[in-house]
């Protein structure tokens, strides 16, 4: 009776929430768990229960996997809105069961918050677990990569098939001695580096403690590594990317050339994770390649022209240095004169702490570039960011401080800067920027 009541009320509350203009992706699950804390243990799950987790890249990988499932004719449910903690996952599941608690789709696909996945997965078992990376991310919430590793390790049961980014030694450590693994990664290419990055989250062999040696790096601690005692090293790849031509949006996977939709290095990992997952559930390689090469090119809302100047908003996750690294790397390949916009008023929507230590993990030194006309720094922490840029050797004359994201910011950009405009901002701030520009004359 409690199961029936929890399912019925959850779905009613979700629908009611949407009628009032809310997303309705969390509240139904929250109420259902109050009615029956064990409701998720009472569901009959489908053949495939897939989780995707990691510090970054999980949203992109999950979205791409959803597209592959649709292309191949699977019915599926996934948390496309990004509600990836326990209440959101409960809402997702209960929206897709009948009143007897039987899941109605072929596949349950979930983007899972890496820290809170333990509270979710104590209720049911995954069949496949896609692992992207573990890096320093939101320190007040996630502490240290070792803490996240230990949390995620609790979810690695003997029966789960792990889809592992083998370029990340922390992620590979989760699969070490596990018997059911598919490894994906990127081989050496023109974008790989021989030098060690300033900030790495994995430096030592987890078996003997010796410092890992790298044949090459992609970024951060991702690359091809080996312990000098051969106790621990990147395993042979089941799914690998080669011949990367990011600028022209072309790569090859297992010898097959494909087109990618974004010219960011991290995008390659989303394709690899999707490919590896597809193979692991029995999708033919031909179908996966067909899907990749027929993904519709949709207009990117983050790229547009405003008053005859190109804008390209580069979404960069606050409190995550490798996310910023991708944006900085993208800028280095862009031609012409550039204006950079950065800054924020809060680090996170989830908590009140304003820890700024992560600013010192970002390689802002890469902004010492003659093609950059101005760096516009906006928001409550503008002086903190300015201080970091000055330590990075950025000329103070290039920096303009603006108090907040208001019409004044647009006026300053248009009257005091030159070239294409690249805001390096988090998702919330990107929405603010687009709201400011809405209603103006866009070409």
């Amino acid at each position: 009776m409690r199961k029936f009541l929890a399912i019925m009320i959850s779905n009613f509350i979700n629908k009611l929430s949407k009628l009032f203009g809310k997303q309705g992706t969390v509240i139904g699950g929250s109420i259902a768990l109050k009615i029956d804390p064990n409701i998720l243990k009472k569901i009959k799950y489908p053949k495939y229960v897939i989780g995707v987790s990691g510090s970054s890249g999980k949203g992109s990988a999950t979205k791409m996997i959803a597209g592959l499932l649709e292309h191949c004719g699977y019915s599926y449910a996934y948390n496309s809105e990004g509600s990836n903690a326990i209440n959101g996952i409960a809402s997702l599941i209960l929206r897709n069961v009948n009143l007897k608690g039987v899941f109605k789709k072929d596949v349950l696909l979930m983007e899972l918050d890496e820290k809170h996945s333990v509270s979710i997965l104590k209720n049911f078992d995954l069949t496949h677990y896609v692992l992207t990376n573990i890096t320093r991310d939101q320190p007040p919430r996630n502490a240290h990569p070792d803490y996240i590793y230990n949390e995620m390790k609790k979810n690695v049961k003997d029966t789960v098939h792990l889809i592992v980014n083998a370029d990340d030694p922390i992620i590979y450590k989760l699969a070490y001695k596990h018997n059911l693994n598919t490894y994906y990664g990127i081989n050496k290419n023109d974008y790989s580096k021989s030098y060690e990055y300033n900030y790495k989250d994995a430096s030592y062999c987890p078996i003997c403690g010796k410092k890992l040696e790298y044949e090459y790096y992609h970024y951060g601690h991702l690359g091809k590594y080996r312990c000098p005692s051969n106790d621990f090293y990147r395993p042979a790849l089941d799914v690998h990317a080669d011949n990367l031509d990011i600028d022209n949006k072309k790569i090859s996977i297992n010898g097959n050339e494909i087109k990618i939709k974004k010219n960011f290095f991290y995008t390659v990992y989303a394709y690899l994770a999707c490919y590896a997952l597809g193979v692991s559930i029995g999708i033919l390689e031909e179908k996966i390649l067909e899907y990749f090469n027929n993904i519709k090119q949709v207009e990117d809302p983050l790229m547009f022209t405003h008053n005859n100047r190109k804008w390209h908003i580069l979404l960069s996750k606050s409190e995550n240095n490798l996310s910023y690294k991708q944006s900085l790397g993208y800028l280095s390949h862009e031609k012409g004169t550039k204006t950079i916009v950065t800054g924020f008023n809060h680090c996170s929507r989830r908590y009140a702490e304003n820890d700024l230590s992560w600013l010192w993990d970002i390689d802002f030194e890469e902004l010492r570039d003659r093609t950059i006309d101005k760096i516009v720094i906006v928001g409550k922490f503008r002086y903190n960011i300015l201080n970091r840029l000055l330590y990075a050797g950025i000329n103070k004359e290039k920096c303009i401080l603006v108090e907040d994201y208001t019409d004044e910011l647009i006026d300053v950009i248009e009257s005091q800067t030159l070239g294409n405009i690249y805001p390096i901002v988090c998702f919330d701030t990107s929405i603010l920027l687009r709201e400011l520009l809405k209603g103006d004359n866009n070409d």
Side-chain angles (χ1 to χ4, degrees):
M1 183 62 183
R2 292 177 72 185
K3 180 175 79 170
F4 171 83
L5 194 62
I7 293 170
M8 187 176 66
I9 291 179
S10 172
N11 289 322
F12 174 76
I13 293 295
N14 283 333
K15 289 176 182 177
L16 190 64
S17 178
K18 288 185 177 181
L19 283 176
F20 284 94
K22 306 295 183 182
Q23 284 188 323
T25 59
V26 173
I27 188 169
S30 174
I31 291 172
L33 289 169
K34 287 185 172 70
I35 296 170
D36 185 352
N38 295 312
I39 180 62
L40 298 183
K41 297 177 181 178
K42 299 175 180 178
I43 302 301
K44 184 176 181 181
Y45 291 94
K47 180 179 179 181
Y48 297 119
V49 181
I50 303 167
V52 184
S53 194
S55 299
S56 57
K58 53 185 176 289
S60 299
T62 309
K63 183 177 181 179
M64 188 164 286
I65 291 167
L68 176 62
L69 293 172
E70 183 172 345
H71 179 78
C72 295
Y74 288 88
S75 63
Y76 66 92
Y78 97 103
N79 46 336
S80 57
E81 306 88 353
S83 301
N84 58 13
I86 181 62
N87 292 332
I89 296 299
S91 289
L92 168 69
I93 292 170
L94 298 179
R95 284 200 306 271
N96 290 281
V97 300
N98 61 27
L99 292 177
K100 293 182 179 180
V102 178
F103 201 80
K104 296 183 290 187
K105 305 289 178 66
D106 298 328
V107 181
L108 169 58
L109 172 65
M110 298 166 288
E111 175 192 333
L112 297 174
D113 178 272
E114 60 276 15
K115 179 182 177 183
H116 295 294
S117 55
V118 175
S119 64
I120 299 166
L121 297 177
K122 69 181 182 180
N123 295 288
F124 55 87
D125 291 338
L126 296 174
T127 60
H128 296 76
Y129 199 11
V130 181
L131 304 171
T132 62
N133 54 62
I134 297 178
T135 66
R136 265 176 285 184
D137 177 59
Q138 302 178 42
R141 185 174 81 93
N142 290 334
H144 188 272
D146 285 345
Y147 170 73
I148 296 301
Y149 164 83
N150 287 324
E151 289 298 291
M152 292 181 70
K153 186 178 180 181
K154 297 172 185 176
N155 301 323
V156 179
K157 300 176 182 177
D158 292 340
T159 55
V160 67
H161 189 140
L162 297 180
I163 314 298
V164 178
N165 180 358
D167 290 347
D168 182 348
I170 306 178
I171 285 291
Y172 172 54
K173 189 167 63 165
L174 283 169
Y176 188 70
K177 294 188 177 180
H178 188 74
N179 292 322
L180 197 56
N181 306 310
T182 297
Y183 298 116
Y184 67 90
I186 302 174
N187 285 327
K188 189 174 183 180
N189 58 81
D190 292 341
Y191 302 87
S192 303
K193 308 293 183 183
S194 59
Y195 57 82
E196 185 172 338
Y197 281 83
N198 291 334
Y199 308 105
K200 294 199 307 178
D201 295 314
S203 295
Y204 299 96
C205 172
I207 310 303
C208 70
K210 291 183 179 178
K211 188 171 184 179
L212 294 174
E213 297 173 349
Y214 277 75
E215 183 178 327
Y216 52 83
Y217 296 88
H218 297 315
Y219 54 85
H221 62 275
L222 276 65
K224 188 173 183 180
Y225 49 87
R226 174 179 291 273
C227 166
S229 299
N230 285 328
D231 294 322
F232 184 84
Y233 47 84
R234 190 184 78 167
L237 301 176
D238 300 298
V239 177
H240 53 87
D242 300 276
N243 305 318
L244 272 65
D245 186 354
I246 305 296
D247 296 337
N248 293 306
K249 301 181 181 179
K250 294 189 297 185
I251 64 171
S252 66
I253 297 181
N254 286 10
N256 302 291
E257 184 174 294
I258 65 165
K259 303 168 189 175
I260 60 176
K261 299 307 174 187
K262 291 187 178 181
N263 51 344
F264 285 91
F265 193 98
Y266 72 84
T267 301
V268 180
Y269 282 117
Y271 279 83
L272 289 171
C274 180
Y275 190 108
L277 185 278
V279 169
S280 73
I281 65 172
I283 296 176
L284 295 177
E285 180 181 72
E286 291 80 4
K287 291 293 288 184
I288 301 173
L289 297 173
E290 180 183 273
Y291 163 63
F292 284 163
N293 286 316
N294 287 281
I295 297 175
K296 291 181 180 178
Q297 184 71 57
V298 297
E299 185 176 346
D300 189 344
L302 301 179
M303 295 182 67
F304 50 88
T305 300
H306 175 78
N307 288 346
N308 296 315
R309 290 176 71 181
K310 172 186 169 184
W311 285 66
H312 188 177
I313 299 175
L314 305 176
L315 293 182
S316 299
K317 188 178 180 183
S318 293
E319 303 178 295
N320 186 304
N321 63 310
L322 288 190
S323 179
Y324 269 74
K325 177 68 180 173
Q326 295 303 305
S327 297
L328 297 174
Y330 177 84
L331 286 171
S332 69
H333 291 279
E334 287 287 275
K335 309 297 183 185
T337 304
K338 311 177 188 79
T339 287
I340 311 301
V341 181
T342 191
F344 48 89
N345 284 323
H346 57 83
C347 295
S348 174
R349 291 177 295 173
R350 299 190 182 192
Y351 47 81
E353 289 88 347
N354 286 316
D355 170 42
L356 299 176
S357 62
W358 55 279
L359 289 175
W360 298 86
D361 293 340
I362 299 170
D363 292 322
F364 282 119
E365 286 75 8
E366 294 186 33
L367 295 179
R368 293 183 304 200
D369 186 333
R370 293 180 182 178
T371 66
I372 294 176
D373 174 59
K374 292 290 188 297
I375 302 174
V376 183
I377 311 170
V378 197
K380 182 168 67 174
F381 299 102
R382 58 194 180 278
Y383 291 103
N384 302 86
I385 298 172
L386 174 64
N387 188 46
R388 173 67 185 97
L389 295 183
L390 296 179
Y391 269 93
I394 308 298
N395 186 340
K396 188 175 182 179
E397 300 302 315
K398 281 193 170 189
C399 300
I400 302 174
L401 302 185
V402 179
E403 185 173 352
D404 209 345
Y405 285 89
T406 63
D407 291 337
E408 179 194 1
L409 170 63
I410 308 303
D411 293 340
V412 167
I413 291 171
E414 293 186 345
S415 63
Q416 299 182 38
T417 73
L418 299 173
N420 296 330
I421 302 159
Y422 299 89
I424 307 177
V425 294
C426 67
F427 179 75
D428 288 352
T429 305
S430 76
I431 295 173
L432 281 176
L433 271 175
R434 283 179 284 176
E435 286 295 323
L436 287 175
L437 295 167
K438 190 180 293 183
D440 289 330
N441 293 323
N442 288 321
D443 300 329

